[in-house]
Every structure is written in structure tokens, then in C-alpha cells.
Amino acid sequence: MPSIPQPLDPDDDGGVAPAVAAALDDYQRGAAGPDRVLNALTGARLLVPVVALLTESEVGEHGLRQEKESEMALPKLVGKDGRQAVLAFTGTEALIRWRPDARPIQASTLQVCRAAVGEEAAAVVVDVAGPVTFVIEGDVLRALAAVESGTLEQLPGVTVARVEPVARRRWFRRRTN
């Protein structure tokens, strides 16, 4: 049974990171492209929703149906074409706008992308209920997931360069007469 991870930041107030808010606002106004939003999101905390799903109910002594067992689940968005997307939110306000009963789990954007690829989802939809919706999909989604998992070298067409410090060399000598 999966466990709920420890929070990234126990003092998180659920607000949107200022850099993310600015990038999304500029993106919505057409003043910035998706690359600016991705740069802001890459280092940001997102909130992944979990919701309770009724797995078993029973009829109580007064004839009313009541919950007997439930499980926490990660909801997915399913498009008209059948593709699935993992949902993530920049803050609690956007999460509540989508579904007030959902509970937030903190995760980095890279972790969310890795989870989406692991769930065979086609995309991550950020702030599905607004104020600005942003979608991470395709090669970008797979690349961000690979960064998180350390498997970037395995993506086709990707070359990873490592820069390592070298011993300092003198390129010239001083002449003494």
C-alpha cells in the first residue's frame, strides 16, 4: 500500500510561488512563451490532489447507506480521445476551485512529471480550473520525468554533457632576463 510522503516544506502556506504566478500571468497575456512557464515551474512546488473513493458501503440501522471503506486515489483527467492526464495545482486556491474536497500532497514539478510518465499519462495539466491552465506533454513531459529519474541519457536524441573541474593550468610563462 503506498504511503503519503512527508511534505517538502512543512511551513508551506499553500500559496503560489511568485515566479510561477508572474510567468503564468505573462503567458496568459501573451507576453511570455511556454518556456518561461516551464522554467518557473521546474523549481517550484506543486500540489497533487488526492480524493477519497468509496470502495464499500452498507445500510445502517436506520436504513441509510453509509460508508464502510474508502481509499485515497489520485484522480486523472481523461480527454475525449481517451488520453489521460495527471492533475497538479500551483496553490490551494486553484485546487479548491477545482474540487474543494481534494487534499493536497506537495511534490516538485519533476516528481509530478515522473509520476505522470509512470502512470502512462499523456500530460500533466496544471491548474485545470484556472486561473491559467498550463499543459506539460510530449517530449517535454518525458524529458522532465527523465531528469527526475536520472535516465535522461536514455531518451532518443538527447546528449548529456558533464562539466568537471580540471586542474588549473598556466598557459603562458613569464620570462625572466
Side-chain angles (χ1 to χ4, degrees), residues 65-86:
R65 183 159 300 283
Q66 61 191 24
E67 177 182 329
K68 186 173 180 182
E69 289 184 24
S70 63
E71 295 178 356
M72 297 304 284
L74 174 69
K76 290 185 195 169
L77 192 63
V78 179
K80 290 180 182 178
D81 61 359
R83 294 185 311 151
Q84 296 182 352
V86 169

Side-chain angles (χ1 to χ4, degrees), residues 18-176:
V20 171
L24 286 169
D25 184 52
D26 288 349
Y27 177 73
Q28 183 179 36
R29 291 183 297 108
D35 55 329
R36 176 144 177 248
V37 177
L38 283 169
N39 284 334
L41 284 173
T42 299
R45 174 275 295 138
L46 291 175
L47 300 174
V48 177
V50 291
V51 295
L53 289 179
L54 182 64
T55 56
E56 189 176 337
S57 64
E58 63 186 5
V59 177
E61 63 182 73
H62 299 292
L64 299 174
R65 183 159 300 283
Q66 61 191 24
E67 177 182 329
K68 186 173 180 182
E69 289 184 24
S70 63
E71 295 178 356
M72 297 304 284
L74 174 69
K76 290 185 195 169
L77 192 63
V78 179
K80 290 180 182 178
D81 61 359
R83 294 185 311 151
Q84 296 182 352
V86 169
L87 301 174
F89 298 88
T90 56
T92 53
E93 190 175 303
L95 175 69
I96 291 168
R97 184 179 293 122
W98 170 70
R99 189 165 169 178
D101 66 326
R103 297 294 171 247
I105 302 294
Q106 295 176 354
S108 72
T109 301
L110 297 178
Q111 289 171 326
V112 174
C113 290
R114 182 179 181 188
V117 168
E119 291 284 323
E120 298 180 1
V124 171
V125 178
V126 178
D127 291 347
V128 68
V132 180
T133 301
F134 187 78
V135 179
I136 304 170
E137 60 186 335
D139 291 339
V140 174
L141 175 65
R142 287 185 290 281
L144 292 174
V147 168
E148 170 63 20
S149 65
T151 59
L152 193 57
E153 296 93 358
Q154 296 174 12
L155 288 178
V158 173
T159 302
V160 177
R162 288 187 174 79
V163 178
E164 295 181 14
V166 295
R168 189 172 177 177
R169 294 184 182 173
R170 279 194 136 164
W171 294 102
F172 60 91
R173 288 187 184 190
R174 207 177 223 190
R175 283 185 144 176
T176 56

